[in-house]
Amino acid sequence: MLFFVRAPRARNSHASGRQEPVKELFGELADGTKVHRWSLENGGTRLKVLSYGGIVQSLELPDRRGRYAGISLGFDTLGAYETSSPYFGALIGRYGNRIAKGRFALDGEEHRLPVNDGGHNLHGGPEGFDRRVWDVEEFTSGSDVGLVLRRTSPDGEMGYPGTLTAKVTYTLTGQGDWRIDYEATTDRATVVNLTSHVYWNLAGEGAGSVHDHELMVAASRYTPVDAGLVPTGELADVTGTPFDFRTPKAVGADLRRAEPQLLHAKGIDHNLVLDKGPTGEPEHIATLREPVSGRTLRIATTEPGVQLYTGNFLDGTLVGPSGGAYRQGDAVCLETQHFPDSPNRPEFPSTVLRPGETYRSATVHSFTL
Ligand code: GLA
């Protein structure tokens, strides 16, 4: 009898070559609008994206033994996204995270936004970019494959001033990295803070808690919040707090500490202030590793902050494609961003965009084993 012993392989030896994007009809929204899905594959990474919300419906990666799993939370059906999604995989705009009381002043003019989170504006309001159908175009370029998503948000949409012309590019590189480039212009002074709300579970969606994932985030400070999860304005030192991920630590290590900051949020739901600050090119800021599968996600960004969210509001009522229910702590989000409530905090890096300027932001997700 013959036994074949397989040596451990580098991730990219599993890499299948680039596939041409496949577009298919995914479903219809309640109002009859058609939604399409694109399937991309490159460098061993498989990505499925919806025109609705620019949603990453799934991102599949092999483990050490070459077995693929979807490593982001999502749904099988468009209906579930339309009625029940807590932003699974979605593009967030015009403003990621909270603007206190749905109000801000710009150039002496007061703006009012609809409130959708305990009296505050969250993730662009009740009908944010996550709930809009985007124009999607596929491309291939060199060893890359990708999608360009475009949307023009009319002046005053969800209360935000200015016509905002947004372009988001999803690129899958020959190495299997997923890069997001955001661009936006306006015809009137406004505020912008775009992000992506993927819920990661590197063991596979539906595999249970991510509390054993190891996380490193290069942030020495964080923005403490009040009971409504709005920053108090302080940039606090993470030393000795549950927010210190400067050396790798299990995601769940400190979540049961009875500290007011954790109790406000039912866990971690905080903006970490990245030591590198805002940068012109993406720089490495975080590494998330799942010890059993070996899957490792490295994030680089141009942004000055990242919202670390430990899936606190998943309550066992939503069911993913694997057929299992999602419970508290079954995923972690790392939403690269400018700080929450910056429009009301002149001391925070500015989120103001003026006519003639171009908003640019980029985040790269690299995967290794
Ligand atoms: C962000 C917010 C959280 C929550 C999640 C989605 O992380 O900060 O409070 O809204 O999105 O539920």
Side-chain angles (χ1 to χ4, degrees):
M1 194 189 268
L2 284 175
F3 291 94
F4 293 95
V5 178
R6 243 193 236 160
R9 294 184 294 185
R11 170 179 138 68
N12 280 325
S13 65
H14 303 297
S16 37
R18 190 182 74 195
Q19 312 277 313
E20 291 301 311
V22 176
K23 177 185 175 184
E24 65 197 320
L25 183 65
F26 184 62
E28 286 182 9
L29 297 173
D31 70 2
T33 308
K34 288 187 169 26
V35 169
H36 290 89
R37 176 171 74 176
W38 279 259
S39 302
L40 310 179
E41 180 166 353
N42 204 3
T45 302
R46 299 173 181 161
L47 188 67
K48 287 191 166 62
V49 176
L50 308 183
S51 52
Y52 179 69
I55 288 171
V56 169
Q57 190 206 4
S58 75
L59 194 154
E60 291 179 31
L61 277 187
D63 64 7
R64 284 198 185 96
R65 300 168 68 179
R67 292 174 303 198
Y68 272 84
I71 58 161
S72 62
L73 273 48
F75 294 122
D76 266 344
T77 64
L78 184 59
Y81 282 107
E82 200 179 7
T83 59
S84 325
S85 183
Y87 310 98
F88 282 162
L91 281 178
I92 304 295
R94 296 187 185 188
Y95 197 95
N97 214 275
R98 292 172 181 78
I99 297 179
K101 301 192 173 91
R103 301 164 72 142
F104 67 97
L106 187 54
D107 300 338
E109 199 185 329
E110 176 88 14
H111 297 282
R112 294 289 193 119
L113 315 171
V115 294
N116 58 332
D117 185 76
H120 306 300
N121 180 267
L122 175 68
H123 295 332
E127 299 294 328
F129 283 7
D130 58 297
R131 296 180 59 78
R132 307 285 179 170
V133 176
W134 293 67
D135 290 326
V136 182
E137 252 180 275
E138 58 198 58
F139 69 89
T140 51
S141 158
S143 60
D144 295 342
V145 62
L147 301 173
V148 177
L149 299 96
R150 287 192 175 83
R151 177 159 195 273
T152 300
S153 170
D155 186 14
E157 185 179 69
M158 288 288 105
Y160 294 92
T163 309
L164 192 81
T165 305
K167 175 182 166 191
V168 180
T169 307
Y170 288 167
T171 305
L172 262 193
T173 71
Q175 280 73 48
D177 294 355
W178 172 42
R179 175 177 173 126
I180 313 175
D181 286 276
Y182 306 87
E183 269 182 43
T185 54
T186 184
D187 59 3
R188 198 176 149 202
T190 191
V191 294
V192 193
N193 191 26
L194 305 179
T195 191
S196 161
H197 208 305
V198 173
Y199 284 67
W200 302 103
N201 185 327
L202 302 182
E205 65 80 24
S209 163
V210 298
H211 287 183
D212 290 340
H213 284 39
E214 284 164 16
L215 177 66
M216 188 288 298
V217 184
S220 306
R221 292 176 299 168
Y222 77 106
T223 49
V225 293
D226 65 17
L229 304 189
V230 172
T232 60
E234 190 194 350
L235 302 186
D237 187 344
V238 297
T239 309
T241 74
F243 308 100
D244 191 350
F245 287 92
R246 289 173 295 182
T247 50
K249 179 172 92 177
V251 168
D254 292 328
L255 289 181
R256 289 185 171 78
R257 274 166 65 169
E259 299 200 5
Q261 284 298 315
L262 294 183
L263 298 176
H264 287 332
K266 296 191 162 73
I268 297 178
D269 190 353
H270 290 74
N271 171 63
L272 304 184
V273 177
L274 299 171
D275 291 338
K276 69 170 188 75
T279 43
E281 292 300 319
E283 291 185 17
H284 175 239
I285 56 122
T287 302
L288 181 69
R289 181 173 169 275
E290 198 281 304
V292 178
S293 66
R295 293 190 189 97
T296 302
L297 160 67
R298 289 168 56 86
I299 298 183
T301 188
T302 56
E303 288 297 311
V306 65
Q307 187 79 11
L308 174 59
Y309 171 58
T310 50
N312 313 331
F313 304 122
L314 296 171
D315 62 1
T317 59
L318 302 176
V319 176
S322 60
Y326 295 141
R327 298 176 64 86
Q328 193 178 46
D330 280 2
V332 61
C333 300
L334 289 152
E335 303 152 59
T336 54
Q337 62 182 4
H338 271 53
F339 307 166
D341 202 30
S342 296
N344 293 305
R345 291 283 172 193
E347 67 274 30
F348 287 173
S350 172
T351 53
V352 174
L353 181 71
R354 296 184 182 280
E357 299 173 343
T358 301
Y359 167 93
R360 280 199 182 85
S361 171
T363 294
V364 184
H365 306 84
S366 313
F367 305 101
T368 55
L369 281 170

